Amino acid sequence: MSAERATRVGIDIGATKTLGVAVGPGGRVLAEVLATTPTGAEEVVATAGAVVDELRARTGDPLTGTLGVGIPGLVDAGRGAVTHAVNLGVDDEWFPIGDRLARRTGARVVVDNDVNAAALGVAAVTGLRDLVYVSLGTGLAAAAVLDGHLRRGAAGAAGEIGHIPVDPAGRRCQCGQTGCLETEASGSALAEAWPATDVPPAQALFEAAAAGDVKAVQVRDRFAARVADAVRLVTLAVDPAHVVLGGGVAQVGDRLRVAVAHALAEQAAGSPFLRALDLPGRLRTVPTDVPVAALGASLLGSER
Ligand SMILES: [Zn+2]
């Protein structure tokens, strides 16, 4: 069986959930296994190993090919190591998750940042070859697939736009700086501005705003303007053909695109320069019916 025809495995280790997929030839998802992400490096390896065991059981396939892992944090893809990974409990030292998971599963493990993996998944699912993926999750981060190639950066930090300080009088960020963009434009920032318990905060906010709640409209538009700042930033930095909004907040679907496109149009109202770049026209939201991050993780290794 050639490498291209073998079943591949992708695991997206998120802040709260770990999702594994077995992907057959042609990109078809053969099986999905979901688990709760524990805290602690050893626990995360154990959970990912158990997810692989379950995928093997469900597919009846030994899955000895490549195992791709997407994980939040600063990743040295060459070494398969991660640092500044909050749910691994590693902050300063590097944790060799690739080696550890290879020993646990017997597979060839390839590791990358979760947003990089998601960007690859978006490119594969949509067929777009030039895009910046902006993830509005617990934090804010972006990843760039430019001319079909993932841009990781010299230190693996390409796209960490959430930690660009934009407000000197803003809040202290968990990264140690003050007023970072992600303190205003992220799922956490939205949840703080519009708390909800029954449904995801983004859904509650966008529904209340659509129903005409004046306060909700204000909160939504302010949030959309900060996301628009992020879109403007990545567009002016690398000029991608498309900007794809993803992460938990993007589960609200096209309403997010419409709100951010409106904010971008407002920001460009007084600037013929910005208007000429048509930022609203480049915006998309991620497909919500496909596990793009896990699917993208399954492609890691094949794109190197
Ligand atoms: Zn920060």
Side-chain angles (χ1 to χ4, degrees), residues 109-127:
V109 178
V110 184
V111 184
D112 212 322
N113 170 271
D114 61 333
V115 182
N116 285 350
L120 281 178
V122 169
V125 167
T126 61

Side-chain angles (χ1 to χ4, degrees), residues 165-176:
V166 292
D167 181 5
R171 278 175 294 163
R172 183 93 173 155
C173 178
Q174 44 93 7
C175 77

